């Protein structure tokens, strides 16, 4: 696997700085190329990693998740059927305990469904072993958590490098790309800082940079703005919008309508079931009134009902 | 990846300095004691080697075995027999004498000093370094002419004459009951380190002198043993065997009736004593390494539990079972190897300091140091196996949920 990657290091990814490999004319060079190609073939990743086979990035079929806590069984998800296409920008909403995180964990291959199928790029991941799932998470999924989940006592740069380390990228490539990513989320000057030297918003941006490290097609965020103030939340969501425009599929769990408003599709959950699934026109084109953001459909579900915050968010958006 | 793991391991160790140090203690003590024992052994060995080299590694004594029941007159040696041995073995013999020595009072003016005399041949210097500082060594004329000339060391000269350069001085000595005047023809300096002085018996009060062996052993004398230096260290074993057979045959005995004591064999005995000591202390060290290893296992288990969330994060980012395993194994190996390194410093330091105090050059071999550090890393890997596999098997979502 490591060898295969070594053959791949000249490609820093679409939009990223490219290192050109000069064509070799002489015989030795040709031999070298042939050797490289055969090695590439021999040590290739499984197809479910390398081939972007499916236009339907995510398809859930009768997906059930049962939490077995000994005495009683909790039904986390009840027969979910859902398709998310490549390039969509989806918000998942719902009351506390409605199963949003349960779904996200399954989508992120952190957890397995109890029943049913989860096709990621046309491959059923429910049947995979832990190491195969690790590979999938490493290559196909970027996960952003509510609590940031940066590794402490490890610089922002090293945190961002981590997924590339597990992808066996070489050090030069890792560092170069991590710097580019941090630059991109506006933290170019904070690369050497430790997580505890960063604000919540900055930490979350580091986490996003980290999620993007291996250019995953799918970005999952479970309440990414849950611990952030309005300004920071907006920054994060704007970043997601931009990523979405560049072609990444983004799925965001949120309690806040204002956050969901950034997306193009809103799926609502209740008691482990999808209760509504509607397209949404992203907020940018339509200007809005302050009260439009004040009331949330599931008001009691919002942990932070600070009206100042709502107003600030409204002001910022309009 | 390995470098990355090592970097992480060091930062984890640094984050818990005190805890890491206490964990290492068992390894430090274990490795420290191993290093000191091995180094003490090496030092002793080299000291004895030097000592025997000083005595002469090719040196041997041959005599009738103490286990032989009835000794005959012919079991003793005569000068004629010695001459015959010289003729027969010729070049293989570097030096031969009758191993004669005696002691008696030496008087010069009003000073009386107890002297011990060793009878040697004129070519004694060829097999034993005698560092002459004044005058000359005994010569062929002294030996053949049985002249009453002596060579003594500087300390003896000082004791008897009050000066180091006693060449030309004479004194009255009692040897085998007869009192005669003897003349000093040369003075040499003994250079012994404190250990050699202890082992060879340094004299500070009395006196020592070399005299022609012909003064102590007379043509009709019978003496108990012959002292021989072989010419060649490589072939000396065969030579000594042949010598023993010849002597036994010439005296109508079996070879096993004669006793041949060689410096080399004595050195081998020394080695085996040291070896026994090393195994005894080695097993103690092994126990302390075992305890140290268990300490490491314990702290790694704590560390794995503490860092459950970190493990969850790493797994969520794509770390495989193997990656986590290697990370924690690296950490325990480095923890243990650091302990080993500190142990080496401790043990080596103690030995060096002890050596300096005793005035001996202590030997700490680099190979032993490498082996010790490598071995402690192995201990770390062995005892880190269980905690690391525990960490690696954690379910990502469970680990992420861990508070
Ligand atoms: N590890 C678990 N063991 C048992 N039950 C669980 C576990 N995780 C979640 N559940 C249950 O599954 C249901 C859905 O939980 P989930 O975390 O998906 O909710 P959520 O929609 O993310 O809520 P919130 O908005 O508060 O984060 C809840 O009833 C919860 O109690
Ligand atoms: Mg949740």
């Amino acid at each position: 696997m490591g060898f295969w990657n070594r053959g791949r290091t000249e490609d820093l990814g679409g939009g990223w700085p490219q290192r050109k490999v000069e064509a070799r004319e002489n015989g030795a060079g040709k031999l070298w190329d042939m050797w490289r190609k055969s090695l590439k073939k021999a040590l290739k990743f499984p197809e479910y990693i390398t081939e972007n086979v499916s236009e339907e990035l995510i398809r859930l079929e009768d997906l059930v998740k049962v939490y077995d806590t000994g005495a009683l069984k909790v039904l986390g998800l009840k027969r979910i059927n859902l398709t998310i296409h490549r390039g969509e920008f989806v918000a998942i909403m719902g009351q506390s305990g409605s199963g949003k995180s349960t779904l996200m964990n399954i989508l992120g291959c952190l957890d397995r469904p109890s029943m049913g199928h989860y096709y990621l790029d046309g491959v059923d991941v429910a049947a995979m072993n832990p190491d195969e799932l690790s590979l999938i998470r490493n290559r196909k999924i970027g996960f952003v958590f509510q609590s940031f989940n940066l590794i402490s006592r490890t610089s922002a740069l090293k945190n961002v490098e981590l997924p590339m380390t597990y992808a066996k990228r070489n050090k030069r490539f890792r560092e170069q790309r991590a710097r580019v990513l941090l630059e991109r989320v506006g933290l170019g000057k904070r690369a050497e800082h430790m997580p505890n030297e960063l604000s919540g918003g900055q930490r979350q941006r580091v986490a996003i940079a980290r999620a993007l490290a291996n250019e995953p097609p799918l970005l999952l965020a479970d309440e990414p703005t849950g611990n952030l103030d309005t300004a920071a939340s907006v920054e994060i969501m704007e970043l997601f919008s931009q990523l979405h425009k560049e072609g990444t599929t983004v799925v965001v769990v949120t309690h806040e309508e204002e956050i969901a408003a950034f997306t193009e599709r809103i799926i609502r959950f209740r008691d482990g079931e999808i209760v509504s699934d509607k397209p949404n026109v992203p907020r940018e084109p339509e200007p809005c009134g302050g009260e439009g953001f004040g009331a949330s459909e599931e008001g009691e579900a919002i942990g932070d009902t600070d009206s100042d915050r709502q107003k600030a968010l409204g002001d910022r958006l309009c | 990846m390995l470098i990355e793991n090592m970097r992480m391991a060091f930062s984890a160790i640094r984050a818990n300095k005190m805890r890491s140090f206490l964990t290492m203690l068992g390894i430090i003590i274990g490795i420290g004691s191993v290093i000191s024992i091995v180094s003490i052994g090496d030092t002793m060995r080299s000291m004895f080697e030097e000592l025997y080299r000083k005595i002469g590694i090719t040196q041997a004594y041959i005599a009738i075995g103490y286990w032989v029941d009835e000794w005959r007159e012919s079991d003793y040696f005569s000068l004629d027999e010695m001459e015959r041995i010289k003729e027969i073995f010729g070049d293989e013999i570097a030096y031969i004498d009758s191993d004669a020595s005696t002691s008696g009072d030496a008087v010069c003016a009003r000073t009386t000093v107890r002297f011990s005399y060793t009878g040697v041949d004129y070519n004694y210097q060829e097999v034993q370094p005698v560092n002459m500082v004044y005058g000359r060594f005994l010569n062929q004329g002294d030996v053949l002419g049985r002249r009453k000339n002596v060579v003594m060391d500087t300390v003896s000269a000082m004791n008897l004459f009050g000066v180091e350069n006693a060449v030309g001085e004479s004194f009255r000595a009692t040897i085998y009951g007869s009192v005669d005047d003897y003349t000093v023809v040369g003075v040499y300096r003994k250079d012994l380190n404190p250990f050699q002085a202890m082992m060879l018996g340094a004299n500070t009060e009395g006196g020592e002198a070399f005299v022609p062996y012909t003064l102590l052993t007379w043509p009709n004398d019978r003496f108990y043993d012959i002292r021989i230096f072989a010419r060649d260290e490589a072939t000396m074993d065969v030579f000594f065997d042949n010598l023993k057979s010849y002597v036994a045959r010439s005296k109508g005995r079996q070879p096993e009736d004669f006793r041949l004591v060689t410096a080399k064999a004595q050195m081998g005995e020394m080695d085996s004593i040291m070896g026994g000591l090393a195994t005894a202390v080695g097993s103690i060290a092994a126990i302390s390494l075992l305890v140290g290893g268990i300490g490491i296992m314990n702290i790694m288990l704590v560390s794995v539990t503490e860092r459950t969330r970190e493990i969850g994060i790493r797994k969520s980012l794509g770390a495989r079972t193997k990656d986590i395993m290697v990370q924690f194994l690296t950490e325990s190996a480095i923890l243990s190897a650091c302990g080993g390194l500190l142990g080496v410093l401790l043990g080596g330091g103690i030995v060096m300091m002890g050596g300096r105090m005793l005035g001996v050059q202590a030997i700490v071999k680099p190979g032993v140091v490498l082996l010790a550090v490598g071995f402690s890393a192995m201990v770390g890997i062995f005892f880190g196996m269980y905690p690391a596999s525990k960490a690696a098997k954690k379910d990502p979502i469970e680990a992420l949920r861990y508070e």
Side-chain angles (χ1 to χ4, degrees):
Chain A
M1 189 162 113
F3 282 105
W4 187 83
N5 271 302
R6 228 163 277 169
R8 211 172 158 251
T9 45
E10 71 272 13
D11 172 22
L12 283 155
W16 306 105
Q18 299 264 330
R19 187 146 54 99
K20 282 215 180 79
V21 178
E22 278 165 30
R24 292 180 182 79
E25 297 299 323
N26 55 7
K30 262 186 207 141
L31 218 83
W32 163 255
D33 281 347
M34 265 167 61
W35 177 77
R36 243 171 48 118
K37 268 180 200 143
S38 65
L39 204 68
K40 235 167 152 170
K41 219 179 257 171
L43 298 167
K44 212 158 85 167
F45 271 123
E47 271 176 19
Y48 57 79
I49 292 295
T50 53
E51 311 279 301
N52 291 330
V53 282
S54 179
E55 198 268 324
E56 288 178 352
L57 184 61
I58 292 172
R59 198 166 87 241
L60 305 180
E61 284 180 3
D62 295 330
L63 192 92
V64 176
K65 178 69 190 183
V66 184
Y67 286 111
D68 194 349
T69 52
L72 78 166
K73 289 183 168 53
V74 179
L75 210 51
L77 293 172
K78 306 171 188 167
R79 285 182 156 270
I80 302 286
N81 283 288
L82 175 67
T83 303
I84 294 173
H85 294 270
R86 214 165 259 284
E88 279 195 85
F89 191 6
V90 183
I92 293 177
M93 303 195 68
Q95 281 175 308
S96 188
S98 57
K100 306 182 295 292
S101 296
T102 305
L103 178 75
M104 288 299 267
N105 291 338
I106 291 172
L107 290 184
C109 294
L110 292 167
D111 210 352
R112 293 150 177 280
S114 310
M115 269 181 274
H117 299 280
Y118 167 23
Y119 297 98
L120 180 62
D121 260 345
V123 181
D124 192 354
V125 292
M128 288 186 174
N129 71 32
D131 279 353
E132 286 171 332
L133 289 176
S134 283
L135 196 56
I136 295 268
R137 287 195 295 270
N138 188 239
R139 291 303 166 131
K140 295 219 155 181
I141 296 164
F143 214 111
V144 179
F145 302 90
Q146 177 175 0
S147 49
F148 320 134
N149 276 347
L150 296 182
I151 291 180
S152 50
R153 296 194 310 273
T154 303
S155 68
L157 190 74
K158 289 283 175 194
N159 262 286
V160 177
E161 281 185 30
L162 214 49
M164 294 184 271
T165 308
Y166 290 127
K168 302 271 191 314
R169 295 294 202 167
N170 70 39
K171 187 167 171 53
R172 236 187 61 145
F173 177 95
R174 289 200 313 254
E175 199 178 315
Q176 202 176 337
R177 179 154 164 83
R179 284 193 192 282
V180 172
L181 284 165
L182 284 171
E183 201 74 56
R184 163 121 212 234
V185 298
L187 291 174
K189 293 203 174 64
R190 304 286 175 141
E192 317 300 339
H193 286 231
M194 297 291 151
N196 59 2
E197 296 164 352
L198 297 171
S199 74
Q202 288 169 333
R203 282 186 219 186
Q204 195 61 299
R205 279 184 280 156
V206 173
I208 292 170
R210 186 178 66 181
L212 297 174
N214 286 332
E215 289 183 273
L218 178 60
L219 191 63
L220 300 172
D222 192 352
E223 300 190 45
T225 60
N227 287 351
L228 303 179
D229 73 358
T230 313
S233 300
V234 170
E235 278 174 16
I236 298 294
M237 287 315 289
E238 276 168 355
L239 203 55
F240 282 153
S241 295
Q242 216 175 336
L243 289 167
H244 155 65
K245 281 196 195 102
E246 288 165 15
T248 309
T249 311
V250 184
V251 180
V252 185
V253 168
T254 181
H255 283 291
E256 295 172 69
E257 295 291 339
E258 312 72 70
I259 296 296
F262 279 85
T263 66
E264 294 175 348
R265 179 180 173 189
I266 301 178
I267 300 170
R268 289 177 201 278
F269 268 74
R270 185 175 299 149
D271 297 335
E273 283 176 306
I274 296 175
V275 290
S276 86
D277 185 351
K278 288 180 196 145
N280 177 51
V281 181
R283 53 106 201 151
E284 284 145 313
E286 51 167 330
C288 42
E291 75 269 32
F293 293 93
S296 132
E297 200 175 78
E298 278 131 351
E300 83 276 15
I302 300 173
D304 182 0
T305 49
D306 188 343
S307 61
D308 284 351
R309 180 182 170 170
Q310 301 295 330
K311 202 171 283 161
L313 188 54
D315 289 349
R316 168 86 198 225
L317 292 179
C318 296
Chain B
M1 192 72 198
L2 185 70
I3 292 165
E4 204 61 22
N5 274 322
M6 285 166 76
R7 200 189 58 80
M8 290 188 312
F10 277 118
S11 90
I13 289 168
R14 237 180 293 123
N16 286 307
K17 282 192 203 77
M18 194 60 196
R19 190 169 92 178
S20 304
F21 175 73
L22 290 176
T23 306
M24 288 175 198
L25 221 50
I27 303 286
I28 293 176
I29 291 168
I31 291 290
S33 52
V34 169
I35 285 288
S36 20
I37 286 312
V38 172
S39 297
I40 287 172
D42 284 343
T43 308
M44 294 280 271
R45 188 165 300 132
S46 97
M47 272 160 42
F48 274 101
E49 226 171 81
E50 212 183 312
L51 183 71
Y52 280 107
R53 216 154 277 287
K54 200 133 210 149
I55 296 170
I57 194 78
T58 61
Q59 180 168 214
Y61 297 84
I62 185 161
I64 182 74
Y66 52 78
W67 54 84
V68 175
D69 283 336
E70 270 174 60
W71 289 2
R72 310 174 198 143
E73 171 80 19
S74 64
D75 289 335
Y76 293 88
F77 296 91
S78 69
L79 286 180
D80 286 345
E81 280 175 323
M82 205 170 92
E83 287 307 315
R84 220 166 303 134
I85 290 171
K86 249 196 239 180
E87 276 165 32
I88 290 168
F89 291 97
D91 259 3
E92 290 187 85
I93 298 171
Y95 175 85
I96 189 163
D97 70 26
S98 57
D99 191 29
S101 63
T102 183
S103 60
D105 283 341
V107 183
C108 172
R110 250 173 277 158
T111 316
T112 303
V113 176
R114 186 87 185 153
F115 255 70
S116 62
Y117 305 96
T118 308
V120 298
D121 206 347
Y122 68 92
N123 61 346
Y124 181 72
Q125 260 189 307
E126 287 170 20
V127 289
Q128 286 285 274
V130 178
N131 180 19
M132 296 304 298
V133 284
Y134 306 109
R136 60 167 177 86
F137 195 70
L138 300 171
N139 60 25
Q140 204 163 3
D142 294 328
V143 175
L144 296 179
R146 306 176 67 211
R147 293 192 197 125
K148 297 188 170 58
N149 287 344
V150 307
V151 170
M152 62 177 63
D153 67 291
T154 48
V155 178
S156 307
M158 205 66 198
N159 289 346
L160 186 59
F161 302 107
V163 288
E164 280 196 351
N165 187 355
V167 175
E169 300 277 354
S170 60
F171 61 100
R172 181 152 294 185
T174 313
I175 291 180
Y176 289 148
S178 65
V179 182
D180 292 290
D181 281 335
Y182 289 79
T183 309
V184 179
V185 293
V187 178
Y188 69 97
R189 193 183 299 285
K190 275 187 175 178
D191 22 33
L192 300 177
N193 66 31
F195 169 75
Q196 289 167 338
M198 186 182 83
M199 295 303 289
L200 295 175
N203 100 85
T204 46
E205 307 269 294
E208 280 173 20
F210 290 119
V211 297
Y213 77 95
T214 45
L215 283 180
L216 302 183
T217 312
W218 288 60
N220 293 328
D221 282 351
R222 286 262 163 194
F223 46 93
Y224 173 63
D225 68 314
I226 287 181
R227 166 158 73 158
I228 282 195
F229 285 78
R231 171 86 57 201
D232 186 3
E233 194 182 330
T235 59
M236 65 190 227
D237 290 337
V238 179
F239 160 58
F240 284 141
D241 259 9
N242 292 342
L243 178 72
K244 199 158 98 172
S245 309
Y246 166 76
V247 168
R249 216 175 331 113
S250 69
K251 291 175 186 297
R253 288 252 187 214
Q254 296 301 311
E256 52 273 21
D257 290 341
F258 274 83
R259 189 161 75 103
L260 193 108
V261 183
T262 64
K264 204 176 162 190
Q266 280 186 329
M267 212 165 101
E269 250 166 66
M270 200 57 227
D271 266 6
S272 76
I273 292 170
M274 295 302 300
L277 195 73
T279 20
V281 183
S283 48
I284 295 169
I287 291 170
S288 89
L289 279 179
L290 180 77
V291 173
I294 293 170
I296 287 196
M297 176 149 80
N298 183 40
I299 217 69
M300 287 309 293
L301 282 171
V302 172
S303 175
V304 165
T305 308
E306 275 177 356
R307 284 152 71 189
T308 299
R309 211 180 155 83
E310 178 191 322
I311 294 164
I313 297 170
R314 289 181 183 277
K315 285 213 155 181
S316 78
L317 298 175
R320 289 159 308 161
T321 316
K322 199 184 87 190
D323 296 322
I324 302 291
M325 184 95 189
V326 171
Q327 181 192 338
F328 280 91
L329 278 184
T330 309
E331 190 172 322
S332 64
I334 285 184
L335 188 66
S336 187
C338 284
L341 203 66
L342 289 179
V344 166
L345 292 181
L346 182 80
I350 286 173
V351 170
M352 291 282 188
M353 246 165 56
R356 180 153 308 165
M357 262 165 19
L358 295 173
V360 195
Q361 178 62 48
I363 298 170
V364 180
K365 286 185 183 160
V368 174
V369 170
L370 276 180
L371 206 72
V373 175
F375 183 73
S376 50
M378 298 279 280
V379 167
I381 289 173
F382 182 79
F383 287 97
M385 211 62 113
Y386 174 63
S389 80
K390 218 178 145 191
K393 280 195 202 119
K394 281 191 193 291
D395 183 59
I397 196 72
E398 297 292 332
L400 276 171
R401 276 204 198 105
Y402 184 84
E403 297 294 323

